[in-house]
Amino acid sequence: MAEQLRLMTVHAHPDDESSKGAATMARYVAEGVDVLVATCTGGERGSVLNPQMDRPEVLADIANIRKREMDEARAILGVRQAWLGFVDSGLPEGDPLPPLPEGCFGLVDPEEGAKPLIKLIREFRPHVMTTYDENGGYPHPDHIMCHNISVVAFDAAGDPDKYPELGEPWQPSKLYYNSGWTRARMLALHEGMLAAGLESPYTEWLQNEERTDRGDKITTRIECGEYFEIRDNALRAHATQVDPDGFWFHVPMEMQQKVWPTEDFELARSLVDSPTPESDLFAGIRESVDTH
Ligand SMILES: [Zn+2]
């Protein structure tokens, strides 16, 4: 029996799947890979970031609206999607920072919080998983917890002694962290814009020396420039979260495709033989899965 390759991407909020690794998902979907997005929270505490959507009736119904936005983005990307059922922590602001709201995702015990994800892994049986790095990629409590439960789940899902009530063990072969905002990428886009006589949206970003840069941790670059359009369409489907006139869409598509045509990942765990650098999330796995 022919088997399909399967990719599971774990994300904190609806919209994260469309801003981190979305073109990679679209490429793998086009190649016949079964792709499932696991969304930790409903994004209930997210602010409305698009001025055109910042209306009282939108805020009053934000949880439902974000579900519908996710449905639309899922259809555009051609992926499957599942909710893990946690409640958004919101991004704490102020000095000192206020405590996180009771019952939110950022406060769960990772061993407990991993349960719905382990169940989903054992049902979907992904060969490859992606999540965020230990700093969350960006320091939102839900992004950090997304990392925490993903690592617990990756390490436990294949162990018959762990969580036996959650289904037949399945061990994914590789775990990756999404990489996006590296200095090298920002600089390449910045210089591309300046060379074309355009205003760069990254000037301020590049002046902030305090950002930690993980560019040297990248092991895997996925060519996916021809899917950037799909990524942007999926992102726009999250209309409450994305300003169509904003930052994201300032760099012309052709320039992005020319200057930085890949999405990049850090290989965090591998149970197969896959020398890095690589150009395929399934390197070392394809050989052993009979897809014909
Ligand atoms: Zn998020």
Side-chain angles (χ1 to χ4, degrees):
M1 264 280 286
E3 196 184 350
Q4 219 176 345
L5 291 170
R6 291 178 298 275
L7 169 65
M8 177 191 275
T9 68
V10 191
H11 290 283
H13 308 109
D15 77 5
D16 287 319
E17 82 295 330
S18 296
S19 62
K20 303 169 216 353
T24 298
M25 291 199 288
R27 179 188 142 171
Y28 281 117
V29 166
E31 290 177 4
V33 174
D34 194 359
V35 181
L36 173 65
V37 173
T39 314
C40 297
T41 77
E44 304 84 350
R45 285 200 178 89
S47 334
V48 173
L49 302 174
N50 176 358
Q52 293 165 42
M53 296 293 286
D54 199 355
R55 304 190 298 265
E57 69 273 20
V58 171
L59 271 171
D61 196 27
I62 192 75
N64 285 319
I65 291 174
R66 293 199 71 176
K67 277 206 180 78
R68 290 201 293 274
E69 292 175 346
M70 184 66 240
D71 281 346
E72 208 187 312
R74 175 186 51 68
I76 290 166
L77 293 169
V79 298
R80 302 203 250 166
Q81 188 260 345
W83 301 97
L84 296 185
F86 295 102
V87 178
D88 190 343
S89 307
L91 184 60
E93 282 172 307
D95 184 20
L97 288 176
L100 293 180
E102 200 180 322
C104 74
F105 182 50
L107 291 175
V108 304
D109 168 5
E111 304 282 330
E112 273 297 304
K115 283 182 175 174
L117 185 55
I118 292 170
K119 188 160 181 282
L120 196 62
I121 292 170
R122 288 176 176 177
E123 284 163 11
F124 180 66
R125 310 198 313 152
H127 300 97
V128 173
M129 272 175 72
T130 71
T131 187
Y132 312 145
D133 66 55
E134 64 278 8
N135 303 312
Y138 120 94
H140 188 299
D142 290 336
H143 286 232
I144 294 169
M145 190 55 71
C146 176
H147 163 85
N148 292 342
I149 69 162
S150 299
V151 169
V152 170
F154 184 92
D155 291 340
D159 186 340
D161 297 328
K162 297 225 173 105
Y163 307 92
E165 72 284 7
L166 298 178
E168 288 293 310
W170 173 262
Q171 180 59 59
S173 299
K174 287 164 127 181
L175 177 69
Y176 287 95
Y177 299 156
N178 291 105
S179 166
W181 302 95
T182 61
R183 192 164 184 89
R185 176 164 171 258
M186 292 305 121
L187 198 58
L189 292 167
H190 175 79
E191 286 173 349
M193 290 294 275
L194 296 184
L198 297 165
E199 199 186 321
S200 165
Y202 303 112
T203 306
E204 211 180 309
W205 197 97
L206 286 163
Q207 279 161 359
N208 184 344
E209 296 288 334
E210 279 167 34
R211 284 176 200 281
T212 45
D213 186 76
R214 298 176 64 107
D216 59 340
K217 292 191 161 63
I218 291 171
T219 54
T220 311
R221 298 187 192 274
I222 307 299
E223 285 279 347
C224 53
E226 58 180 293
Y227 300 94
F228 285 176
E229 200 82 55
I230 295 179
R231 174 202 65 196
D232 284 3
N233 290 338
L235 205 49
R236 282 188 205 96
H238 293 284
T240 60
Q241 302 304 304
V242 176
D243 180 353
D245 301 317
F247 183 73
W248 275 102
F249 306 108
H250 282 184
V251 181
M253 181 56 66
E254 306 73 49
M255 185 179 300
Q256 294 182 47
Q257 289 166 332
K258 194 170 138 232
V259 170
W260 204 277
T262 62
E263 286 177 342
D264 308 323
F265 296 84
E266 302 172 13
L267 181 60
R269 300 259 208 286
S270 178
L271 285 80
V272 294
D273 189 18
S274 57
T276 57
E278 336 164 281
S279 56
D280 177 16
L281 299 179
F282 293 93
I285 296 172
R286 282 179 192 277
E287 299 76 1
S288 55
V289 177
D290 179 14
T291 53
H292 300 287

